[in-house]
Amino acid sequence: MSIAIIVHGGAWAIPDNEVAPHRNGCRNARNAGWDILAAGGSAMDAVEAAVRILEDDPTYDAGVGSVLNRGGFVELDAAVMDGDQLLYGSVAGVRRVRNPISLARHVLNSPAGMLVAEGAEQFAVKRGIKLCDPEDLIVDREFAIYQDLVRTYDESKDTGATPPPGERNAAIQAGGWPAPSMDRPGDTVGCVAIDSNGWVVAGTSTGGTGHKLVGRVGDAPLLGGGLYAMNELGGCSTTGWGESIMRILLAKTAVDYLADDCHPQIAADRAIQRLADRGKGTAGCILLDRHGRLGWAFNTPRMAHAWRTADGRDGDGV
Ligand code: ASP
């Protein structure tokens, strides 16, 4: 079996001055996951290790450095899926866990599939995970963005509706708060890996979309939306405008497109095209198939990613 790994660090209009940290973080995560795979370790260990590195890196909207919601605090979502048994672990709305991907892995090894908010945190304590202070997840950059949004946001002009992407900037200028724009950070992180036993695992972790409603959960922790894995086909992790990703179950759609040994690059392109056409959405996806071949696609200006395959090739891009 050919081992392979691919990671992403968000799809949006990543500004030029943030390209280097995005690239470096993805490389670090890719390298850590690769070392585990190359030493004969499992795809589950590789994905968890890679995503933890991205969660710990304040560059990204996952773990420390995540966006603040309208209440001025961080709520984290994450999930991991095992492509062999089709088991999954998912957590949403957690406020006091630094590495939700590890908590999601614990949930995978429990009778539950998904735990939210306080229940997820109580479960974390039971599994020996030390809870953090919610303030520990907030970095100056995100606090400043939050303060800016609070200053400009006019609730009376917010209809609560999700305008089509083309009208989002106009809605922002009118003082309302629409669906996330590509101009706002959306640095969800994710990883897909295949190990020497042909085991495919996908993981995704996020702080969600900036200035989201308290309690809002996007696609990232939802099976088929933010991630999917099935050994017979491959695995996928997504990032972008979550509400649109869910409309077409982007991760499951991309994995389904791998049928008949379709190359992952063709499948990724098709999935993003479907998201644009049918979901009227903006996002990116990373995809890996059962042979360890890779593909990725996005219809945002940029997507941070890094990869390595068994034939000695590797690469990255933002
Ligand atoms: N998909 C994430 C969400 O909607 C955000 C992102 O990927 O940037 O919560």
Side-chain angles (χ1 to χ4, degrees):
M1 288 290 177
S2 292
I3 59 173
I5 188 167
I6 182 163
V7 306
H8 72 73
W12 59 290
I14 298 168
D16 290 345
N17 65 342
E18 288 190 41
V19 165
H22 278 79
R23 186 188 298 279
N24 291 340
C26 284
R27 280 184 187 156
N28 291 341
R30 185 260 327 263
N31 293 347
W34 179 263
D35 288 347
I36 291 171
L37 296 173
S42 73
M44 184 62 77
D45 285 344
V47 167
E48 182 185 9
V51 173
R52 279 182 72 100
I53 284 177
L54 296 165
E55 287 176 337
D56 288 340
D57 185 333
T59 303
Y60 303 100
D61 176 25
V64 175
S66 288
V67 300
L68 275 59
N69 64 17
R70 290 190 197 184
F73 55 91
V74 168
E75 285 183 309
L76 301 172
D77 309 326
V80 64
M81 182 169 183
D82 151 21
D84 182 29
Q85 298 296 310
L86 305 189
L87 296 174
Y88 65 96
S90 170
V91 295
V94 295
R95 302 179 189 183
R96 295 186 293 162
V97 177
R98 291 184 82 97
N99 293 106
I101 194 71
S102 295
L103 178 55
R105 185 173 176 181
H106 278 288
V107 175
L108 183 147
N109 292 309
S110 82
M114 182 171 196
L115 293 174
V116 303
E118 284 92 346
E121 292 175 2
Q122 283 166 18
F123 177 76
V125 172
K126 279 206 185 103
R127 290 294 177 110
I129 294 175
K130 201 168 160 284
L131 297 183
C132 68
D133 186 327
E135 299 276 319
D136 295 347
L137 302 172
I138 300 176
V139 297
D140 292 348
R141 177 195 68 229
E142 293 306 326
F143 189 63
I145 291 172
Y146 169 72
Q147 284 182 313
D148 217 36
L149 288 170
V150 168
R151 250 197 315 278
T152 53
Y153 175 66
D154 179 351
E155 189 154 22
S156 68
K157 291 181 182 156
D158 190 344
T159 62
T162 300
E167 291 165 30
R168 276 181 277 153
N169 288 343
I172 290 172
Q173 271 149 27
W177 185 256
S181 143
M182 281 189 284
D183 311 330
R184 307 275 357 139
D187 289 318
T188 293
V189 305
C191 176
V192 190
I194 181 166
D195 64 25
S196 51
N197 293 314
W199 189 18
V200 179
V201 173
T204 304
S205 181
T206 189
T209 49
H211 213 47
K212 65 186 180 182
L213 288 169
V214 174
R216 177 264 187 194
V217 176
D219 61 297
L222 302 179
L223 223 56
L227 74 168
Y228 201 75
M230 189 183 265
N231 283 4
E232 309 87 291
L233 292 170
C236 178
S237 170
T238 70
T239 173
W241 178 17
E243 282 73 10
S244 71
I245 288 172
M246 285 309 296
R247 286 179 198 143
I248 67 141
L249 290 176
L250 179 59
K252 177 70 163 70
T253 296
V255 169
D256 284 347
Y257 285 161
L258 292 172
D260 301 324
D261 276 341
C262 174
H263 194 283
Q265 189 53 56
I266 295 172
D269 287 336
R270 276 185 73 195
I272 292 298
Q273 192 60 51
R274 176 140 184 91
L275 172 87
D277 292 346
R278 196 64 189 89
K280 303 281 178 254
T282 49
C285 67
I286 54 172
L287 189 59
L288 167 156
D289 77 358
R290 68 195 178 102
H291 306 294
R293 299 180 301 179
L294 305 176
W296 58 91
F298 49 99
N299 63 351
T300 48
R302 282 177 161 151
M303 180 174 77
H305 62 282
W307 54 272
R308 185 168 293 161
T309 50
D311 55 10
R313 291 187 310 130
D314 64 18
D316 53 63
V318 180

